[in-house]
Amino acid sequence: MTTSRTEEIAAGLAETRERIATAATAAGRLAEDVHLVVVTKFFPASDVRILAGLGVTDVGENRHQEAAAKAAECADLDLRWHYIGGLQSNKAAAVAGYADVVESVDRSSLLPRLSRGAGERGQIIDVLLQVSLDPPGRAGRAGANPGDVRDLATEVVATDGLRLRGLMAVAPLGEEPEPAFVRLARIREDFLVEHPEATVLSAGMSGDLEQAIAHGATHVRVGSAVLGERPTVK
Ligand SMILES: *Cc1c(COP(=O)(O)O)cnc(C)c1O
């Protein structure tokens, strides 16, 4: 049972790494410049353990309660935990208690809370600004408006305990990802003028990692292509 799950995950991982390498080569980039974050939401801590055993260094979670429990269960593993989900203000300090990278920072009210969490933990937290690629007004829209990124970045830089590392985005549902990632690449170009050291671009998932890599993604967040279909929970 454990052996077959390990083999299953190893196969998904190998296939995903192959896709990343092929996409990087096609874009004239080095495969090692594109980092894989395996999204483990809805999957058990035992899968995280298998991933670590297979050489995965970065995992992503999007729900605080689940992430906190899993990070605690896997505290003995040398993993970087990425928080990629919507952030409630009242959970932000707690998220900074285990997340090494918070990818979903989209408003300034989160910053003092993340800073407090980082301070209590005694660790600098890496921050990505989540940029919305959705049309304004769309329901369930997550991320900052592109026009607000500049001010938000300035505020992150001025906040103790946080280190601005770059941008994150999710392609809009039900649209071709390519034009959205083209827009993202332009937003990033402007952003890098003022923050040339914040070079991370987290974009691309199981369905669109090739397009994201073509447009500059340095980190892809991949769940189902590695771990299989997510168990259905509400
Ligand atoms: C779930 C999730 C992913 C991974 O999605 P897959 O399609 O399973 O690869 C990536 N990014 C975010 C923000 C997610 O919530």
Side-chain angles (χ1 to χ4, degrees):
M1 156 82 195
T2 307
T3 311
S4 73
R5 183 59 179 149
T6 300
E7 283 166 4
E8 205 169 80
I9 293 177
L13 202 52
E15 200 174 303
T16 300
R17 285 183 171 143
E18 185 67 38
R19 282 177 64 192
I20 292 171
T22 303
T25 304
R29 304 178 55 199
L30 296 174
E32 56 264 40
D33 291 342
V34 182
H35 304 276
L36 172 63
V37 178
V38 179
V39 178
T40 51
K41 66 189 187 198
F42 297 104
F43 288 100
S46 54
D47 281 359
V48 177
R49 209 161 273 285
I50 290 171
L51 287 165
L54 293 168
V56 167
T57 54
D58 292 75
V59 293
E61 287 283 337
N62 75 335
R63 299 190 307 175
H64 165 60
Q65 221 109 17
E66 180 187 345
K70 240 179 267 180
E73 254 185 281
C74 297
D76 58 309
L77 304 175
D78 190 17
L79 288 170
R80 282 168 65 73
W81 291 82
H82 295 241
Y83 191 80
I84 63 173
L87 259 178
Q88 286 173 266
S89 295
N90 62 353
K91 302 281 166 58
V95 167
Y98 57 85
D100 303 293
V101 187
V102 180
E103 298 203 6
S104 44
V105 173
D106 63 356
R107 59 194 189 279
S108 56
S109 60
L110 297 169
L111 303 181
R113 297 161 196 261
L114 288 170
S115 177
R116 178 161 56 81
E120 282 164 6
R121 183 173 171 194
Q123 188 181 313
I124 305 283
I125 306 294
D126 284 347
V127 162
L128 305 184
L129 305 183
Q130 182 174 355
V131 185
S132 175
L133 300 175
D134 287 311
R138 173 170 293 182
R141 189 173 194 267
N145 290 317
D148 294 336
V149 166
R150 191 176 182 204
D151 286 350
L152 190 53
T154 304
E155 289 186 71
V156 171
V157 170
T159 304
D160 284 339
L162 305 184
R163 177 168 48 205
L164 181 66
R165 294 300 309 279
L167 302 177
M168 179 272 225
V170 179
L173 266 182
E175 273 176 46
E176 285 297 314
E178 185 97 33
F181 289 141
V182 169
R183 295 203 296 283
L184 179 62
R186 284 207 202 98
I187 294 163
R188 183 193 188 205
E189 228 176 280
D190 290 343
F191 170 80
L192 282 173
V193 172
E194 284 183 51
H195 304 283
E197 69 303 322
T199 53
V200 172
L201 183 64
S202 172
M205 325 199 301
S206 294
D208 58 16
L209 67 89
E210 283 83 3
Q211 289 90 341
I213 291 170
H215 295 288
T218 63
H219 289 65
V220 292
R221 308 175 307 270
V222 181
S224 48
V226 173
L227 292 168
E229 230 173 284
R230 274 183 282 282
T232 40
V233 183
K234 54 175 170 51

